[in-house]
Amino acid sequence: MPPPPRSARTALAAYHAAGRFSESAALKERTLADAERLLGPEHHQTAFLRGNLAVSHWDLGRREEAAALLARAVEELRSALGPGHPEVLEYAESLELMRRELSGRTGRATVPLWRRLLRRRPPHGSDS
């Protein structure tokens, strides 16, 4: 499955920049559902989309759900790409930082760091 069309990525970026997290999450959920149907729930592209959806859930205040989504994405990526793959390591580090934030073990600076790690580069196979 190719990455989401440029128009969808543009809409996601616009929704997020405008603080329209509900619309962004809804579009990400539809894209994830399509990937699960077309590629299967454990395909690496599906896992990347699941990780991106985790960010939207965090922004909506659904933090436990966000951590669960990201944890699933990490496991799927480990299985698909191997435990030492750079993107797996980045997602795993992001998950640890997210969990620290949830437990109150770290300051507010953690959230921008895990968000930056997740968005450092486009998902595998993306053209932007």
Side-chain angles (χ1 to χ4, degrees):
M1 178 174 146
R6 187 173 305 279
S7 59
R9 290 192 310 272
T10 300
L12 286 170
Y15 286 149
H16 193 82
R20 295 172 58 185
F21 302 127
S22 293
E23 290 95 333
S24 177
L27 183 53
K28 288 177 183 181
E29 287 170 354
R30 286 193 303 272
T31 303
L32 177 60
D34 288 343
E36 287 178 330
R37 182 176 45 81
L38 295 170
L39 300 173
E42 295 179 10
H43 190 277
H44 68 278
Q45 282 292 82
T46 305
F48 285 124
L49 293 168
R50 196 176 319 284
N52 289 335
L53 179 58
V55 174
S56 289
H57 283 292
W58 185 275
D59 290 335
L60 289 167
R62 295 151 67 181
R63 299 195 168 182
E64 294 292 334
E65 188 175 351
L69 282 167
L70 189 55
R72 182 173 172 190
V74 168
E75 289 308 310
E76 292 165 351
L77 289 170
R78 277 188 185 128
S79 177
L81 303 176
H85 191 280
E87 290 176 282
V88 173
L89 298 173
E90 287 178 10
Y91 270 54
E93 184 178 359
S94 297
L95 177 60
E96 177 58 28
L97 293 171
M98 187 183 280
R99 286 177 171 163
R100 284 184 191 172
E101 179 71 19
L102 279 171
S103 71
R105 290 183 285 155
T106 171
R108 297 181 62 142
T110 302
V111 176
L113 178 58
W114 69 256
R115 189 181 307 259
R116 188 170 60 248
L117 285 170
L118 281 175
R119 294 191 176 149
R120 184 177 311 178
R121 56 190 144 115
H124 178 77
S126 165
D127 66 350
S128 66

